[in-house]
Amino acid sequence: KLTHPDRIYWPEAGVTKAGLADHYAEVWPLIAPHLVGRPLALLRCPDGINGQQFFQKHGWKGMNGKILTPQDPGYPGEGVIAIADMDGLLGLVQSAALEIHPWGSTLAQIETPDRIVMDLDPGEGVEWTQMIAAAREVRERIERAGLAAFLKTSGGKGLHVVAPLKPQAKWPAVKAWCQSLA
């Protein structure tokens, strides 16, 4: 159940809490494989995208019971945020999670990434054509290294170049490889 379904999250587009929930219901089959069973980082905006914003990486008091909080191995006593189904995603909508950023690993193998994400955010004055060119170059570099890559929007102003991995290497090795690529 959504409280205040008419709360406006994106004023310029007129998107409400209920509208976001409806959108997620429509695209659920496409996004479920990218969200279910993964730790999630959230950008929460209780008063909509133009109001207060804060990142949330761990569970909080009073959150929807359909949002999971399995143990975060890097922070003893803290639970990462995760979902198992559409009800969990609707719990995130209720909590004003306007951006959902899945980790590059699953809950089952949290220390062994199964994807990398090269996050390209434009600086002041960077044209969209330059963003496209940068994304192409990153994709080409990843592909020259022997990995497949695909593009996705970031939820903000930038682009993500994503490459699936066989979950074998630990985070430090994967991060070092990504830094050398960058």
Side-chain angles (χ1 to χ4, degrees):
K1 178 177 170 152
L2 296 177
T3 60
H4 309 287
D6 57 341
R7 176 167 287 146
I8 296 179
Y9 280 163
W10 282 275
E12 294 79 21
V15 177
T16 63
K17 185 188 289 190
L20 180 59
D22 290 344
H23 171 71
Y24 280 148
E26 189 173 321
V27 300
W28 176 248
L30 301 171
I31 63 172
H34 300 281
L35 298 179
V36 169
R38 289 185 174 278
L40 305 171
L42 311 174
L43 177 67
R44 293 183 56 206
C45 308
D47 299 316
I49 198 69
N50 296 330
Q52 176 192 15
Q53 300 181 358
F54 57 94
F55 279 96
Q56 189 94 42
K57 293 176 18 179
H58 296 100
W60 62 93
K61 194 174 193 163
M63 68 182 200
N64 184 295
K66 294 295 184 173
I67 301 170
L68 308 174
T69 56
Q71 179 65 43
D72 183 339
Y75 295 88
E78 295 281 354
V80 296
I81 299 166
I83 61 169
D85 53 27
M86 180 67 186
D87 288 338
L89 182 56
L90 293 177
L92 295 178
V93 171
Q94 172 63 27
S95 69
L98 302 191
E99 290 183 17
I100 303 170
H101 301 273
W103 285 22
S105 62
T106 63
L107 292 170
Q109 293 183 291
I110 202 164
E111 296 296 336
T112 356
D114 68 345
R115 67 173 63 161
I116 58 170
V117 178
M118 301 299 285
D119 185 2
L120 306 174
D121 291 319
E124 190 68 34
V126 174
E127 299 291 326
W128 187 245
T129 54
Q130 293 172 292
M131 287 297 299
I132 293 169
R136 282 187 177 134
E137 182 177 338
V138 170
R139 184 193 70 210
E140 289 166 4
R141 287 182 185 194
I142 290 171
E143 289 174 346
R144 279 196 304 269
L147 299 173
F150 64 90
L151 181 71
K152 75 183 213 50
T153 57
S154 67
K157 299 176 195 162
L159 296 170
H160 288 172
V161 181
V162 182
L165 303 173
K166 289 181 182 174
Q168 297 171 338
K170 301 289 185 198
W171 278 111
V174 172
K175 285 181 182 179
W177 186 85
C178 290
Q179 288 172 340
S180 71
L181 182 82

